Amino acid sequence: MSLDLGKPGDFHVHLRDGAMKELVTPSLREGGVSVCFVMPNLVPPLTNPQRVLEYQKSLQKLSPRTKFLMSLYLCNEITPEVIVAAKKAGISGVKCYPAGVTTNSDHGVSSYEPFYPTFAEMERQDIVLNIHGECPSGEDIHVLNAEEKFLPTLELLHSKFPKLRIVLEHCTSKAAIKAVKRCGPNVVATITAHHLYLTVDSWGGNAHNFCKPVAKFPEDREALIEAATSGSPKFFFGSDSAPHPVESKTKGKGAAAGVFTQQHAISYVAQVFDNAGKLDKLRGFVTDFGKDFYRINDADLDSATVTLVEKPFKVADELSKDGLTVIPFQAGETLKWAVEWSN
Amino acid sequence: MSLDLGKPGDFHVHLRDGAMKELVTPSLREGGVSVCFVMPNLVPPLTNPQRVLEYQKSLQKLSPRTKFLMSLYLCNEITPEVIVAAKKAGISGVKCYPAGVTTNSDHGVSSYEPFYPTFAEMERQDIVLNIHGECPSGEDIHVLNAEEKFLPTLELLHSKFPKLRIVLEHCTSKAAIKAVKRCGPNVVATITAHHLYLTVDSWGGNAHNFCKPVAKFPEDREALIEAATSGSPKFFFGSDSAPHPVESKTKGKGAAAGVFTQQHAISYVAQVFDNAGKLDKLRGFVTDFGKDFYRINDADLDSATVTLVEKPFKVADELSKDGLTVIPFQAGETLKWAVEWSN
């Protein structure tokens, strides 16, 4: 059996910089991705359009046939003037990280109101707001309810800026799915591959499954699968593939959060859709809905297309080059569906 | 400032076997512990009284001034006849592990009813039932509610065997505290040091804080602190100190569950009581209540006593010997209270 997926997209990727960038960027294509939305949390973060364009150029060199949608990192420097410049530079979104919630979020946002003029300009310029939707842990906030506690902020921003297109990135909870559904069509959510697999049981004893937002309860995973396979254009694929050197993952105290899925992005998702008997909904989730939201025409992408083929393969134990090693999600496990490019 | 703690007890310890036993058993005394209750989950588990006595002898050699209360591992071999023999051998308890919930629990219990004759004999012989109170993860059970889901079983066993003395070991949730309070005086619970510190935020990014039962929500930790410092004899100290070689903790997939606190057992607890302004309740929790429950007379213990002294010290980065390394809880952190033996 095989399935034409057209030109799939991954609307949330971390491609890093330096040696890691060189290691993982080529795996976009290996994973079956034609277009991707690139997160700006480098060290230091991408806070001006010029640096974003330079970064985009460096990625293009490493994966020439991939289309890279780019983003800025929301911080004090992102004024309405910068938004105007970003639009001219062809930048697609601005990523908002609450301070301290995940990898390289130290420069993130503590309060949203100071950014209202920026959001208003984004609304005018039709630039997307990409939100990491978690509140930092505190007295009654912890990693399991951090996303749910953020949802009132999402709904507030939507009501203040109803025309602002907002992506609740890597949503992980039943509550988030409900909130996104409650909002108008300008609010959508990405769903990762790994959150379709993992629960709170998965990450305590396996550092490679530890990510932020953390995987939640079985009923949350069910809600994610239900949303992803529902055929609703409000939910589309963003892998949040987040490579870290194996040493950073397994160092014990202060281990890095992030799951690396880029290499087999589409295959991981296909497996879940297959298990759910919903392979007919796969193309909407990984190809159509995200491109529609970001207003990408297939004509602007490389001509090659992807076919999903039933051809079981084993996920390699590691992706490695010159002493830099990343452990893929489900290393050593067998996946049923492979991707093949048309040329 | 200083505080006379008499002869403290740690009523839940894992001392392992072989090189690990030799490494960690001496740290009982270093941690300020005069008497301890030893868990039977060796490989293979301790399922007959003879082996328990041999194991006890080997521990006694490594820490001659410590009193070791011993236990059997509940499995099909633990018949009423074995309970009679255990009583004669001076064994204090029988530990019940639900199958598959933690380290070396593969031989554990799937169903309780087949053990009712054994429990009846334990009731007659006045041998304690020590329960790891978690249900195995399944469709609607996960590591965060596994303890709460077990509580009806605890209450059922208590109602069937009201004279059986039961310890709900290492309780971690507000729900468990409530359930233990609801039961009669024959049902008590141990509380670890690390669960007075940790929450669900603590163990994803730090393998050394990962244990079973996992640390739960902030309100659960508050309930544990409240119970431990309440002066109620239903709650006493059992560290569940569970050493693993550092490689087993940081290997990523399949990492071992357990926190090693033996070296500074009393100091960790004292810090929490001090923070809560409840140092006056410390002696009850670490010394009196556990010994009363197990009917241990101070006259049967070594004559040395422990004084808690305000003498800040840094927790070592590791405990190591001949290539075997264990990482202590809060390695590198400063603790305010040290223990001093009277001789």
Side-chain angles (χ1 to χ4, degrees):
Chain A
M1 200 203 131
S2 73
L3 189 62
D4 173 18
L5 291 180
K7 302 175 181 177
D10 178 347
F11 294 93
H12 187 133
V13 305
H14 295 276
L15 299 174
R16 311 302 192 202
D17 218 341
M20 186 61 93
K21 176 175 70 179
E22 289 176 29
L23 181 65
V24 304
T25 305
S27 68
L28 274 162
R29 197 144 178 95
E30 192 182 348
V33 166
S34 182
V35 48
C36 66
F37 183 93
V38 183
M39 291 300 160
N41 60 332
L42 302 186
V43 182
L46 295 174
T47 56
N48 75 67
Q50 190 51 42
R51 277 193 61 222
V52 173
L53 294 185
E54 286 160 17
Y55 182 52
Q56 184 183 36
K57 214 165 158 184
S58 73
L59 297 173
Q60 203 70 64
K61 212 180 267 179
L62 291 165
S63 189
R65 302 181 71 174
T66 305
K67 168 102 175 165
F68 295 94
L69 307 179
M70 304 304 291
S71 64
L72 280 162
Y73 187 111
L74 188 64
C75 61
N76 292 339
E77 297 163 46
I78 309 298
T79 58
E81 292 71 36
V82 172
I83 295 301
V84 174
K87 182 66 180 186
K88 282 186 186 144
I91 289 168
S92 305
V94 176
K95 177 72 182 283
C96 171
Y97 291 96
V101 296
T102 190
T103 307
N104 305 336
S105 63
D106 297 349
H107 301 270
V109 168
S110 305
S111 166
Y112 295 84
E113 243 179 286
F115 294 100
Y116 281 4
T118 297
F119 295 156
E121 192 60 46
M122 288 169 66
E123 202 172 29
R124 273 191 292 275
Q125 300 292 334
D126 199 24
I127 281 186
V128 171
L129 176 63
N130 306 82
I131 301 185
H132 180 122
E134 288 194 297
C135 293
S137 288
E139 203 170 328
D140 63 340
I141 300 177
H142 46 74
V143 291
L144 268 298
N145 70 4
E147 183 175 272
E148 185 162 359
K149 293 278 186 184
F150 181 83
L151 299 173
T153 302
L154 173 72
E155 297 193 63
L156 175 71
L157 292 177
H158 177 49
S159 72
K160 295 255 182 218
F161 304 98
K163 289 183 190 157
L164 179 61
R165 288 186 295 142
I166 300 177
V167 184
L168 180 65
E169 297 290 344
H170 45 55
C171 72
T172 60
S173 61
K174 193 174 175 176
I177 298 289
K178 279 188 188 169
V180 169
K181 283 182 181 168
R182 272 197 305 274
C183 294
N186 283 334
V187 176
V188 300
T190 53
I191 297 177
T192 76
H194 54 280
H195 287 111
L196 300 174
Y197 287 77
L198 306 176
T199 69
V200 67
D201 276 42
S202 312
W203 43 268
N206 189 340
H208 308 302
N209 288 343
F210 172 55
C211 57
K212 298 293 287 299
V214 299
K216 312 246 161 14
F217 299 113
E219 65 167 21
D220 294 300
R221 179 178 54 184
E222 283 316 302
L224 297 179
I225 293 173
E226 213 282 310
T229 61
S230 69
S232 161
K234 280 177 98 64
F235 302 99
F236 56 82
F237 181 47
S239 70
D240 191 18
S241 175
H244 291 281
V246 62
E247 302 78 16
S248 307
K249 290 295 284 177
T250 59
K251 67 182 188 172
K253 188 178 170 185
V259 176
F260 178 61
T261 50
Q262 206 67 72
Q263 252 185 316
H264 306 300
I266 302 299
S267 296
Y268 293 123
V269 177
Q271 183 84 57
V272 175
F273 277 63
D274 187 9
N275 294 347
K278 294 284 181 69
L279 273 178
D280 59 313
K281 303 288 187 191
L282 182 61
R283 183 170 166 149
F285 183 68
V286 300
T287 302
D288 302 331
F289 305 151
K291 282 191 294 195
D292 287 350
F293 182 80
Y294 281 105
R295 298 174 185 156
I296 303 298
N297 293 315
D298 263 9
D300 297 335
L301 304 179
D302 182 84
S303 60
T305 59
V306 165
T307 304
L308 190 73
V309 292
E310 193 175 336
K311 201 185 239 182
F313 68 97
K314 211 170 163 179
V315 178
D317 287 335
E318 55 180 55
L319 177 64
S320 194
K321 192 184 161 190
D322 299 337
L324 176 63
T325 298
V326 175
I327 309 295
F329 181 54
Q330 295 208 310
E333 300 294 317
T334 297
L335 292 175
K336 184 172 164 189
W337 297 94
V339 293
E340 284 181 356
W341 287 95
S342 62
N343 60 7
Chain B
M1 201 202 134
S2 73
L3 189 63
D4 174 19
L5 291 180
K7 300 173 181 178
D10 179 347
F11 294 93
H12 188 132
V13 304
H14 295 276
L15 300 173
R16 312 299 192 205
D17 219 341
M20 186 63 92
K21 176 174 71 178
E22 289 176 27
L23 181 64
V24 304
T25 306
S27 68
L28 275 162
R29 196 146 179 95
E30 192 184 346
V33 166
S34 183
V35 49
C36 66
F37 183 94
V38 183
M39 292 298 157
N41 60 332
L42 303 186
V43 182
L46 296 173
T47 56
N48 75 68
Q50 190 51 41
R51 276 195 61 222
V52 172
L53 294 184
E54 285 160 18
Y55 182 52
Q56 184 182 38
K57 215 167 158 184
S58 73
L59 297 173
Q60 203 69 67
K61 210 181 267 178
L62 290 166
S63 188
R65 304 183 70 174
T66 304
K67 168 101 174 164
F68 295 94
L69 307 179
M70 304 305 290
S71 64
L72 281 163
Y73 187 111
L74 188 64
C75 62
N76 292 339
E77 298 164 44
I78 309 298
T79 59
E81 293 69 37
V82 172
I83 294 301
V84 174
K87 182 69 180 187
K88 281 185 186 144
I91 288 169
S92 305
V94 176
K95 176 72 182 283
C96 170
Y97 290 95
V101 295
T102 190
T103 307
N104 304 336
S105 63
D106 297 347
H107 302 270
V109 169
S110 304
S111 167
Y112 295 86
E113 243 179 285
F115 294 99
Y116 281 4
T118 297
F119 295 156
E121 191 60 44
M122 288 170 65
E123 201 173 27
R124 275 191 292 277
Q125 300 290 336
D126 198 24
I127 281 187
V128 171
L129 176 63
N130 306 82
I131 301 185
H132 180 123
E134 288 194 296
C135 293
S137 288
E139 204 171 326
D140 63 340
I141 300 177
H142 46 73
V143 291
L144 268 298
N145 71 4
E147 184 175 272
E148 185 161 0
K149 293 278 186 184
F150 181 82
L151 298 173
T153 302
L154 173 72
E155 298 193 61
L156 175 71
L157 292 177
H158 177 49
S159 72
K160 295 256 181 218
F161 306 97
K163 288 183 189 156
L164 179 62
R165 287 185 296 142
I166 299 177
V167 185
L168 180 65
E169 298 290 344
H170 46 54
C171 72
T172 60
S173 61
K174 193 173 174 178
I177 297 288
K178 278 188 188 169
V180 169
K181 283 182 181 168
R182 272 198 305 273
C183 294
N186 283 333
V187 176
V188 301
T190 52
I191 297 176
T192 76
H194 54 280
H195 287 112
L196 300 175
Y197 286 77
L198 306 176
T199 68
V200 68
D201 276 43
S202 314
W203 44 269
N206 188 340
H208 308 301
N209 289 343
F210 173 55
C211 56
K212 298 294 288 299
V214 298
K216 311 244 161 19
F217 299 114
E219 63 167 23
D220 294 300
R221 177 177 58 184
E222 283 316 302
L224 297 179
I225 293 174
E226 213 280 312
T229 62
S230 69
S232 161
K234 281 176 97 64
F235 302 99
F236 56 81
F237 181 49
S239 70
D240 191 19
S241 176
H244 291 281
V246 62
E247 301 79 15
S248 307
K249 291 294 284 178
T250 58
K251 68 181 186 171
K253 189 179 170 185
V259 176
F260 177 61
T261 50
Q262 207 67 71
Q263 250 185 317
H264 306 299
I266 303 298
S267 296
Y268 293 122
V269 177
Q271 183 84 57
V272 175
F273 277 62
D274 187 9
N275 294 347
K278 294 283 181 70
L279 273 178
D280 59 312
K281 304 290 187 190
L282 182 61
R283 183 170 167 148
F285 183 69
V286 299
T287 302
D288 301 331
F289 305 150
K291 282 191 295 196
D292 287 351
F293 182 80
Y294 281 104
R295 297 174 187 156
I296 303 300
N297 292 315
D298 262 9
D300 297 334
L301 304 179
D302 182 85
S303 60
T305 59
V306 165
T307 304
L308 190 74
V309 291
E310 193 174 334
K311 204 185 236 182
F313 68 97
K314 212 170 162 176
V315 178
D317 287 333
E318 55 180 55
L319 177 65
S320 192
K321 192 184 163 190
D322 300 336
L324 177 62
T325 299
V326 176
I327 309 294
F329 181 53
Q330 294 209 311
E333 299 295 315
T334 297
L335 292 175
K336 185 174 165 188
W337 298 94
V339 293
E340 284 181 358
W341 288 95
S342 63
N343 59 7

